[in-house]
Amino acid sequence: MQLPTDQNATFDPLSTAFARDPYPDYAALRATGQPVFYAPFDIWLFSRHTDVQAAALNPLSLRSLDHLMTAREMAEERRAQNWHDMPFHSRFVQFSMLNADGEVHQRLRKLVFREFTPGQIERLKSGVESYVGGLFDRLGKRFDFIEDLCAHVPGLAIGRFLGVPDEDCHALRQWSEDIVQYFDIDRTDERKVLAERTTKTFYDYLSDLSNHRRKHPKDDLISRLITRWDAGDLTEDEYVSTCMLILMAGHGSTIDALGNGLNALLRFPDQMARLRNNPQLMPTAIQEMFRYDAPLPFFHRYASDDMTVNGWDIPKGTKIGLLYASANRDPEAFLDADRFDIGRAPNRHLAFAAGPHFCLGNHLARMNMEAVFSQLLIRFGHIDMTAEPEFKSGLSLRGPKSLHIAVR
Ligand code: HEM
């Protein structure tokens, strides 16, 4: 089947209405039953679960089209995107595993894959639980769940995972926020400058730490990656960009996942009560939080050759938008899809993607979530929202900017 010529998405992902509740727009996209063209991004949006999954799994759908370009075209493209203005950001952030394909991607992913297994993550668990307990101890009866609690959660786990000393972990959140801001659709020039400057700051910090670890190795990811770098298994740039990717991919997404999770529990008090009475449902509850309101709702791919996705003919070079958040609410894939059901099983959500780029950090993210939600429900018998939260705008991120609550 040819892609339809008469379908143009008219929604406005930068609007406050979309930020407040994007799900009616996603439902409208799904109701067309087709991929829909969105002119401002020059992209074909896939919104149904079956299409998003098939597009993500298709071996011809890639993160970049670099392999189709000559060196000259690539240089021109990068000039057009002003990458020369951002030497550190383009060197370490744009060229990460997340943006690599094929053999390079497989090699980089394989280097760290074992670090992310449930067994490895389990080793961090008790430290994270007692750290989160300490954060709870400092809270009063009314607080902002995002700023006063969640914002401090992922830094410690990511820092310990990498091998950053505990006393430096507090800096990781700001660094990751500054670096990620470059990807906002509505980024300003100041943010771009900030992203570049902070990338350099992190590079300098990591270089000092790496020099130290090379002389005094520890049982941590940084020390193990340095050994692989010295053995020629990865370059210095690949080493730095892998550390930066782990820092960035896991930070804001975890904060947003925690905020979206509590927001869902507050909007479905029957499910909050059910979880309180059945703490053994925590693992399925957390999976449902990811399905119900995905922190990373959208990623793109390119058709590296003419390809077919669920019967749709996608010409080589087409940019494809994978709407994971929309797929997760598709009634064709989930019974009563708009209902938040903490016991839902099976739950084949796509919040962590599918295919070669499936999220490496999913166990770590879930461990952080469990540490927060189990303590939240034990400590407080009543949790009330005291102000309607405002959500981040855009297609790429989903999470409340603040979530004010009163607890008893
Ligand atoms: C908390 C919620 C999280 C969500 C919703 C999430 C979601 C995702 C998604 C959707 C992708 C695939 C992007 C694509 O389709 O191209 C991805 C990739 C990735 N994530 Fe996560 N992530 C989360 C947390 C984390 C954490 C805590 C870490 C590590 C500390 C992490 C590390 C990564 C890495 C390294 C990749 C790249 C994998 C690859 O390219 O092969 N993520 N994540």
Side-chain angles (χ1 to χ4, degrees):
M1 280 176 292
Q2 298 279 315
L3 287 172
T5 50
D6 58 337
Q7 292 285 359
N8 276 302
T10 52
F11 72 115
D12 177 5
L14 285 182
S15 68
T16 43
F18 186 83
R20 199 164 39 239
D21 183 6
Y23 294 99
D25 285 320
Y26 290 145
L29 290 176
R30 286 193 308 271
T32 64
Q34 303 170 329
V36 172
F37 188 65
Y38 183 55
F41 291 6
D42 192 20
I43 197 166
W44 283 90
L45 296 175
F46 284 64
S47 56
R48 299 188 312 160
H49 189 280
T50 176
D51 290 341
V52 174
Q53 181 162 270
L57 292 175
N58 192 308
L60 295 174
S61 67
L62 300 185
R63 291 279 310 166
S64 85
L65 284 182
D66 288 357
H67 68 291
L68 293 181
M69 294 184 192
T70 61
R72 194 189 172 139
E73 282 168 339
M74 213 145 34
E76 272 167 22
E77 168 88 11
R78 291 192 173 143
R79 230 186 335 272
Q81 293 183 20
N82 289 332
W83 283 21
H84 55 288
D85 283 357
M86 306 185 70
F88 283 94
H89 198 274
S90 56
R91 189 170 151 202
F92 299 125
V93 180
Q94 319 271 13
F95 287 120
S96 71
M97 166 197 337
L98 183 60
N99 291 320
D101 298 295
E103 279 174 23
V104 174
H105 173 255
Q106 277 166 30
R107 176 173 56 79
L108 294 175
R109 191 171 162 106
K110 228 170 124 191
L111 281 170
V112 292
F113 185 78
R114 282 209 189 86
E115 305 283 340
F116 287 95
T117 56
Q120 285 292 95
I121 301 305
E122 187 67 26
R123 291 166 31 153
L124 298 169
K125 194 173 169 183
S126 69
V128 168
E129 281 171 350
S130 62
Y131 170 73
V132 168
L135 293 175
F136 271 110
D137 289 342
R138 297 206 314 247
L139 296 171
K141 294 289 168 210
R142 297 171 82 89
F143 57 91
D144 177 0
F145 182 65
I146 302 300
E147 201 46 50
D148 299 332
L149 183 81
C150 304
H152 308 283
V153 172
L156 183 91
I158 294 175
R160 286 194 177 169
F161 181 75
L162 283 170
V164 170
D166 280 2
E167 60 273 23
D168 296 340
C169 286
H170 64 94
L172 298 180
R173 176 199 176 196
Q174 197 56 51
W175 287 346
S176 109
E177 257 177 31
D178 291 353
I179 296 172
V180 165
Q181 282 189 5
Y182 174 76
F183 297 105
D184 285 357
I185 327 178
D186 51 349
R187 68 169 179 256
T188 56
D189 280 348
E190 292 92 82
R191 284 189 182 182
K192 189 175 148 181
V193 171
L194 185 66
E196 171 63 7
R197 201 188 309 135
T198 307
T199 311
K200 163 94 169 65
T201 304
F202 184 48
Y203 171 66
D204 290 342
Y205 174 82
L206 192 64
S207 300
D208 286 347
L209 184 60
S210 309
N211 288 336
H212 189 261
R213 283 287 188 283
R214 180 169 271 123
K215 288 188 208 119
H216 309 283
K218 283 193 166 182
D219 179 13
D220 61 30
L221 176 59
I222 286 180
S223 302
R224 284 189 283 277
L225 277 180
I226 289 172
T227 309
R228 304 299 294 264
W229 166 19
D230 290 345
D233 296 336
L234 81 170
T235 64
E236 181 194 0
D237 284 12
E238 288 171 342
Y239 161 75
V240 176
S241 85
T242 299
C243 293
M244 281 205 192
L245 173 64
I246 291 169
L247 169 70
M248 289 183 329
H251 226 102
S253 56
T254 301
I255 300 171
D256 289 341
L258 289 163
N260 292 346
L262 181 59
N263 186 48
L265 286 172
L266 289 165
R267 280 168 210 283
F268 289 86
D270 64 320
Q271 296 302 303
M272 171 108 80
R274 188 176 166 206
L275 187 54
R276 227 180 249 300
N277 297 330
N278 301 279
Q280 76 281 6
L281 289 180
M282 191 57 85
T284 51
I286 286 169
Q287 287 291 19
E288 179 68 346
M289 290 173 193
F290 281 112
R291 181 196 74 85
Y292 186 76
D293 218 357
L296 296 173
F298 160 89
F299 271 88
H300 73 268
R301 297 284 185 276
Y302 293 97
S304 61
D305 206 338
D306 291 345
M307 65 182 207
T308 307
V309 171
N310 266 353
W312 298 105
D313 297 331
I314 316 285
K316 178 174 173 173
T318 304
K319 194 173 178 187
I320 300 165
L322 306 175
L323 292 174
Y324 298 133
S326 171
N328 288 350
R329 293 284 195 102
D330 186 345
E332 302 270 325
F334 301 97
L335 198 68
D336 212 356
D338 287 328
R339 164 123 190 104
F340 177 67
D341 171 3
I342 61 152
R344 191 182 289 275
N347 191 343
R348 298 198 180 89
H349 69 75
L350 296 176
F352 293 120
H357 293 278
F358 183 79
C359 176
L360 278 172
N362 73 91
H363 300 299
L364 185 55
R366 289 201 295 251
M367 188 263 281
N368 275 315
M369 301 270 284
E370 271 204 54
V372 170
F373 284 109
S374 47
Q375 299 198 49
L376 183 78
L377 296 184
I378 289 172
R379 285 173 183 247
F380 310 122
H382 295 271
I383 306 169
D384 295 305
M385 196 182 273
T386 53
E388 213 26 61
E390 192 192 333
F391 278 78
K392 293 174 181 172
S393 65
L395 258 186
S396 310
L397 302 175
R398 168 100 182 135
K401 292 181 184 170
S402 58
L403 188 49
H404 293 275
I405 53 175
V407 295
R408 283 181 282 136

